Amino acid sequence: MRSGKLIRYGLVAAVVLLVGIGLWQTRRGARRGAAVLVREPARVMGTTCTLTAVPGPEGVASAEAALRDAEAALRAVEARMSVWIAGSEISRFNQAPAGEDVALSADTLEVLRAARRGAVQTRGAFDVTCGPLIELWRRAGSLDRLPTEAELAGARAASSWRLVHLDEDGARKDSGEARVDLGGIAKGYGTDRAVESLRRAGVEAGVVDVGGDLRCFGHPPDKDRWPVDIRDPFRPGTIGALLVGDAAVCTSGNYARFAVIEGKRYSHIIDPRTGSPAEAAPSVTVVAPTAMAADMWATALSVLGREGLPLLPAGMEALLVLGTPEEPRIVCTPGAVELLEASFAAHVEVHRPSE
Ligand code: AMP
Ligand code: MG
């Protein structure tokens, strides 16, 4: 049974690598000859994963090894930071009693520190200490029952950076109830680590795509930028495509992950200001220099909506899909319009900084 499974995975990986060599040709046409390697590991961070590499002077075998190392980098981040893995550092921290010093790796502390800075930058919209609220709404989804006022008040009181303290080599909390959830940022961090690993190995260009959140570097062999489709949150298909070079593109939306409670659909993103699921934007796409920043801001703007655009740091762009399935509206920062494929740019509303 186990070896059967291994053989099956092995075969899938081999087929994917071979098929991948032709991928960009089939998707965008035009190119002949140059090899593009694609690796599609089974389920990483709870989602699909596609790693693409344009081999550098070191050659194909070296690029294949680099892809394996990039996958390992993603899995290492998942093993440390996932709330779904019982022995992860974050799970150990969440289970610890008040006052206990929990040792954490430099990587996990780096993400927690970035998240703490993010909470300030986003005026509290991005808040990884919302673990108790996230768990409460997740449970409400599986029980199909809205939380009671008392449950909400309890979870809100336990969701705060005031209860979580980071030090040099670990963290501690003031309440046994406090919990952190890195689901809105760790995928981006892992993607950055995977890209670093590909670059270090001499890969010339590539894409690390984890469930549609991705970071590109260099350019495809036949084009000067990578095409990145943006899904339509209201119906199957896309609403447009961005063309990017060295950049990360992350999308948060309620089309992919949501709960239906008592007949109403709720986002998996919590608005820390109210303690309830966010409703500001059906889909938010952020383009940033790092995937960690793009991941964090996509989650934050899902809470803040259009009002949050003035907070977006320089060098980052956003595209929001607002409105309803009957009347969708696309709002973009001026820089995002520049990145849109020309045929889509005509349909968007540009948010000017003064608005
Ligand atoms: P994303 O799909 O990147 O927007 O991340 C969503 C995930 O982030 C959720 O499933 C939660 O694990 C976590 N999350 C939910 N709300 C927030 C929030 N306001 N700030 C930070 N993380 C959140
Ligand atoms: Mg995110």
Side-chain angles (χ1 to χ4, degrees):
M1 170 83 181
R2 246 183 99 191
S3 67
K5 217 171 180 179
L6 277 176
I7 291 168
R8 213 163 53 236
Y9 282 140
L11 278 175
V12 169
V15 168
V16 159
L17 270 170
L18 290 173
V19 170
I21 290 177
L23 190 79
W24 284 98
Q25 290 94 319
T26 52
R27 182 160 174 236
R28 295 275 146 179
R31 202 176 62 84
R32 274 181 233 305
V36 175
L37 301 177
V38 174
R39 182 177 176 87
E40 291 192 325
R43 233 174 155 69
V44 177
M45 298 186 166
T47 184
T48 54
C49 176
T50 307
L51 307 170
T52 305
V54 178
E58 277 86 359
V60 169
S62 158
E64 278 169 359
L67 286 172
R68 283 195 297 276
D69 290 348
E71 177 187 341
L74 282 167
R75 294 201 188 276
V77 169
E78 181 180 22
R80 289 185 165 145
M81 303 183 204
S82 171
V83 293
W84 302 105
I85 296 175
S88 74
E89 293 177 19
I90 291 300
S91 292
R92 281 197 294 105
F93 176 76
N94 285 344
Q95 283 147 21
E100 185 174 301
D101 287 314
V102 178
L104 298 173
S105 63
D107 284 5
T108 303
L109 276 168
E110 186 182 340
V111 176
L112 283 166
R113 288 198 191 100
R116 190 173 57 183
R117 281 194 303 275
V120 177
Q121 290 175 324
T122 64
R123 310 238 169 109
F126 186 81
D127 187 347
V128 299
T129 70
C130 278
L133 283 165
I134 293 165
E135 281 176 22
L136 178 67
W137 282 96
R138 214 171 262 152
R139 213 162 40 243
S142 51
L143 299 175
D144 192 14
R145 176 182 69 74
L146 284 169
T148 64
E149 285 301 321
E151 285 171 332
L152 265 175
R156 288 188 77 174
S159 296
S160 170
W161 267 109
R162 281 193 301 277
L163 301 173
V164 177
H165 308 283
L166 308 180
D167 58 40
E168 280 304 294
D169 49 13
R172 169 175 54 78
K173 53 195 188 180
D174 287 346
S175 154
E177 306 292 299
R179 275 163 177 53
V180 296
D181 184 320
L182 299 182
I185 186 171
K187 211 198 297 169
Y189 179 80
T191 299
D192 289 333
R193 291 290 80 83
V195 164
E196 270 165 27
S197 149
L198 290 175
R199 290 188 122 149
R200 240 191 345 259
V203 168
E204 200 169 283
V207 181
V208 173
D209 178 338
V210 186
D213 287 348
L214 51 89
R215 180 163 162 191
C216 315
F217 64 100
H219 60 85
D222 60 333
K223 302 220 182 309
D224 58 353
R225 289 184 290 170
W226 299 96
V228 180
D229 289 333
I230 304 172
R231 283 216 11 213
D232 185 334
F234 297 125
R235 50 189 71 79
T238 63
I239 52 140
L242 296 166
L243 295 169
V244 296
D246 285 334
V249 182
C250 291
T251 299
S252 288
N254 64 10
Y255 56 86
R257 282 159 63 208
F258 57 86
V260 177
I261 310 170
E262 299 180 8
K264 188 174 168 209
R265 190 167 150 149
Y266 291 91
S267 168
H268 65 295
I269 297 169
I270 300 298
D271 183 338
R273 300 167 301 186
T274 62
S276 293
E279 293 187 325
S283 165
V284 175
T285 299
V286 172
V287 185
T290 68
M292 181 160 76
D295 192 1
M296 185 179 88
W297 277 96
T299 307
L301 289 177
S302 298
V303 172
L304 297 168
R306 189 179 182 145
E307 318 301 311
L309 288 177
L311 300 179
L312 201 62
M316 294 176 50
E317 307 297 340
L319 180 149
L320 276 56
V321 183
L322 305 170
T324 59
E326 297 72 38
E327 256 183 275
R329 279 177 27 241
I330 304 175
V331 176
C332 280
T333 55
V337 183
E338 307 289 310
L339 301 173
L340 270 177
E341 263 185 0
S343 53
F344 300 107
H347 306 292
V348 305
E349 186 185 327
V350 182
H351 180 95
R352 302 280 163 203
S354 57
E355 287 169 38

